[in-house]
Amino acid sequence: METTPDGRPVPPPHADERTMLEAWLDFHRATLALKCSGLSDDQLRLAPASPSPMTLLGLVQHMAEVERNWFQRIFAGLQRPPVFGQHNIDGFALQPDRGLDEATALWRAEIVRGRELTADASLDDSGHLSGHEASRLGDRGVSLRWILVHMIEEYARHNGHADLIREQLDGVTGT
């Protein structure tokens, strides 16, 4: 597999749909990890893009929750509590004793579990949305294809946030 100079996997220029979607999702996952690398715990907890309280550590935690929600709860239909507890259902709240290593381990565990649950599934297999979520889409069913595209979008959007936060912290820019 080809990688960028910073080590992220390069999505193949020609591949079947499933391979392409999963490769782009992996690229964006690696991008979030890259945005957090080489920073101190204090820097990971700073919210330098006022007035937003968003932090890089909070983004990692949030994406752990997003991974669990879409692959375990919605696609597989599992009843799973929030990764970081009922008081932190979106994952953004930080705890003084939880740093990047622990948050990253939890995030990566959610990625592994999602891969396990979707490994043998077709892109046309569906998960089921809650009534609230379905009201926004107009349908209770959502295909794995839709979920993968949504996850790419979710990571890409938050990686833009991460890029701005990182630039404010230490001037590092790039994709």
Side-chain angles (χ1 to χ4, degrees):
M1 170 184 300
E2 295 290 320
T3 60
T4 60
D6 54 33
R8 292 173 294 158
V10 175
H14 304 280
D16 64 87
E17 183 181 17
R18 175 85 179 242
T19 300
M20 187 72 69
L21 291 171
E22 290 176 345
W24 274 106
L25 183 52
D26 285 342
F27 175 83
H28 282 290
R29 287 169 172 152
T31 299
L32 180 57
L34 178 67
K35 293 297 172 187
C36 296
S37 68
L39 295 173
S40 70
D41 188 64
D42 288 342
Q43 288 174 308
L44 291 162
R45 294 170 182 279
L46 286 175
S50 181
S52 174
M54 194 176 295
T55 67
L56 289 172
L57 182 56
L59 282 172
V60 171
Q61 293 182 167
H62 174 66
M63 292 313 298
E65 187 58 50
V66 170
E67 293 272 354
R68 177 173 284 187
N69 186 56
W70 285 101
F71 294 117
Q72 293 185 51
R73 292 185 193 117
I74 293 172
F75 186 74
L78 302 174
Q79 297 295 317
R80 299 283 287 145
V83 178
F84 299 100
Q86 293 295 341
H87 64 283
N88 192 9
I89 61 172
D90 64 7
F92 282 112
L94 305 181
Q95 297 297 316
D97 59 341
R98 184 185 313 111
L100 184 62
D101 289 345
E102 182 181 350
T104 298
L106 291 165
W107 170 52
R108 291 192 191 285
E110 293 303 318
I111 292 168
V112 167
R113 185 65 177 132
R115 284 183 176 140
E116 292 168 354
L117 293 169
T118 61
D120 296 326
S122 161
L123 291 176
D124 294 321
D125 289 348
S126 287
H128 300 284
L129 298 169
S130 69
H132 173 72
E133 292 164 324
S135 69
R136 292 185 283 174
L137 281 183
D139 196 320
R140 286 203 64 129
V142 60
S143 71
L144 178 56
R145 176 183 290 104
W146 191 97
I147 292 169
L148 290 170
V149 170
H150 173 69
M151 290 296 292
I152 293 165
E153 173 273 329
E154 182 87 6
Y155 272 98
R157 183 167 49 93
H158 286 312
N159 283 338
H161 299 141
D163 198 38
L164 292 171
I165 293 169
R166 181 68 189 248
E167 185 175 4
Q168 288 294 314
L169 291 172
D170 67 1
V172 171
T173 62
T175 54

